[in-house]
Amino acid sequence: MRHTLQSSFCQEYPGPIEILFAVEDPEDPGIAVANEIIARFPKASARVLIGKDNVGINPKVNNMLKAFDQAQNDLLWICDSNIHTDPGTLRRSVDLLLDNKRLGVIHHVVFSEAPKTFAAMLDNAFLVTNHCRMYLAINAVGIASCLMGKSNLYYKSALDNVGGLASFGQYLAEDNMIGQALWHSGWSHTMTGDLARQPADINSLAEYCSRRIRWVRTRKYNVTFATFYEPLTESILLGMLTSWALQHLFEYRMWAMFTTFMLCWFSLDMIFFYRINGGSPQSWLWFVLSWICREAMALPLWLVAIIGDTVVWRGQRFRFHLNGTVDVLK
């Protein structure tokens, strides 16, 4: 945590920066870490805000609201505490935002690193291949809002014009709903080439499966049409359909076409990872094994997610309504 929190103080930005740490629990050990870092940078305008508001069921919004209300500047960069960025990220993001008056959000693709368990390797394989690839592709096409709230820069006034942060406390995926609200108000989104790096911190297979199910279920109630087409972005189902079609049309051997398809898909994923990461993974063997398992688990987890309407997040169980809002289940 020390490394991720400190990255905010190391930004090479020419203007004034106000850093606000929002903490819900006064007993959170992160408070001591944040205060220690603040003491190391006495010239920085930084403080810790403790407590939470109750504006909805989303614990992240309840925690962030005090910082949102007390922020002195119109430009807000909201970063999760487990995210670290390169020193030039803020400068490049602000320059890009100010260069286009219709830009409303600058966001950064999430990149997972340093997995220490096999479950973390599975999450790493998902985030740095399938998720990263689709996230970049959707945003490159630019036909709809697609953003993840790990690292977002936007105008406080623009968010106030679509209801303010508190109005999104009724949603579990507040980042997606904020993005959609700004998009439909005429504010476009774009990214810099920077990465929002986070440690791969999943400790068990059950935790990995729960996270993937939660993500799919959340998207099902927020971007329903796109979610039902997600299996066609996965290698195994798409490979089976492609090889069946080639056998039917040209009498190619289905198993040979499927094997060729999977090898090509795998090779492109490895090239993609190498380009984004700027180098090889810690262990090619474990990365390949986790990639294979991730691909094999993708469709079963999607099917489980599609047929349910509850998720577990931060120790609480929630039930979705058709409009994307949720209730807390006791």
Side-chain angles (χ1 to χ4, degrees):
M1 176 179 284
R2 183 174 283 101
H3 175 57
T4 57
L5 296 185
Q6 188 169 303
S7 71
S8 297
F9 291 83
C10 299
Q11 292 298 312
E12 299 167 349
Y13 185 70
I17 303 175
E18 179 189 29
I19 301 173
L20 302 176
F21 294 109
V23 186
E24 177 182 326
D25 185 358
E27 302 299 321
D28 193 319
I31 295 174
V33 177
N35 283 325
E36 176 191 326
I37 296 171
I38 291 172
R40 291 178 57 191
F41 296 88
K43 294 183 179 180
S45 174
R47 53 201 168 107
V48 179
L49 305 177
I50 303 172
K52 73 169 184 176
D53 297 277
N54 263 317
V55 295
I57 54 80
N58 189 307
K60 184 176 178 179
V61 172
N62 289 337
N63 181 40
M64 288 195 304
L65 192 59
K66 55 185 174 291
F68 182 85
D69 289 339
Q70 295 186 41
Q72 298 177 10
N73 302 300
D74 192 35
L75 275 182
L76 301 181
W77 185 18
I78 296 181
C79 263
D80 282 8
S81 61
N82 66 339
I83 291 294
H84 71 94
T85 54
D86 293 334
T89 301
L90 180 59
R91 174 177 50 79
R92 286 186 288 269
S93 300
V94 172
D95 287 347
L96 188 59
L97 188 68
L98 297 181
D99 193 49
N100 186 338
K101 298 302 182 183
R102 295 314 303 163
L103 269 178
V105 182
I106 304 294
H107 54 123
H108 309 106
V109 67
V110 176
F111 193 84
S112 173
E113 58 186 10
K116 293 181 172 57
T117 66
F118 186 67
M121 291 177 188
L122 287 173
D123 196 54
N124 177 250
F126 167 73
L127 285 173
V128 302
T129 57
N130 177 274
H131 176 265
C132 190
R133 181 179 65 247
M134 294 306 301
Y135 194 85
L136 290 173
I138 293 171
N139 279 284
V141 174
I143 58 173
S145 170
C146 177
L147 65 85
M148 191 174 180
K150 289 287 186 177
S151 176
N152 295 167
L153 181 78
Y154 44 68
Y155 295 103
K156 181 180 180 180
S157 55
L159 194 54
D160 282 334
N161 287 336
V162 294
L165 180 62
S167 66
F168 297 95
Q170 61 184 320
Y171 301 104
L172 211 57
E174 86 293 333
D175 49 359
N176 175 71
M177 301 309 293
I178 288 172
Q180 288 195 43
L182 292 173
W183 180 275
H184 292 307
S185 295
W187 294 100
S188 60
H189 311 344
T190 194
M191 295 183 290
T192 65
D194 299 287
L195 299 176
R197 296 181 179 272
Q198 69 173 24
D201 57 357
I202 292 184
N203 296 314
S204 68
L205 184 61
E207 186 182 354
Y208 169 78
C209 293
S210 177
R211 180 177 291 186
R212 295 282 72 77
I213 290 170
R214 184 177 77 244
W215 280 28
V216 173
R217 248 172 223 171
T218 301
R219 289 195 299 274
K220 181 179 73 170
Y221 288 97
N222 288 281
V223 283
T224 306
F225 185 78
T227 304
F228 278 99
Y229 277 89
E230 280 183 16
L232 294 178
T233 69
E234 297 289 354
S235 61
I236 293 179
L237 179 59
L238 193 57
M240 292 175 64
L241 292 173
T242 301
S243 55
W244 173 83
L246 290 173
Q247 182 188 48
H248 180 75
L249 294 172
F250 305 108
E251 298 184 356
Y252 292 144
R253 293 185 178 183
M254 185 172 176
W255 66 267
M257 290 298 97
F258 180 74
T259 302
T260 302
F261 181 96
M262 292 302 296
L263 286 173
C264 290
W265 191 286
F266 168 76
S267 299
L268 290 172
D269 264 357
M270 295 305 99
I271 294 170
F272 180 82
F273 171 83
Y274 193 89
R275 291 287 302 275
I276 293 290
N277 187 56
S280 304
Q282 291 176 318
S283 166
W284 275 112
L285 175 62
W286 282 107
F287 187 78
V288 171
L289 282 174
S290 61
W291 182 89
I292 293 171
C293 291
R294 206 297 304 179
E295 298 294 311
M297 294 171 65
L299 184 58
L301 286 175
W302 181 88
L303 289 170
V304 170
I306 284 296
I307 61 176
D309 63 355
T310 64
V311 296
V312 176
W313 186 38
R314 297 190 180 187
Q316 291 184 303
R317 183 173 291 276
F318 302 88
R319 170 166 285 130
F320 282 97
H321 298 292
L322 291 177
N323 64 354
T325 60
V326 294
D327 288 330
V328 180
L329 300 180
K330 303 297 183 181

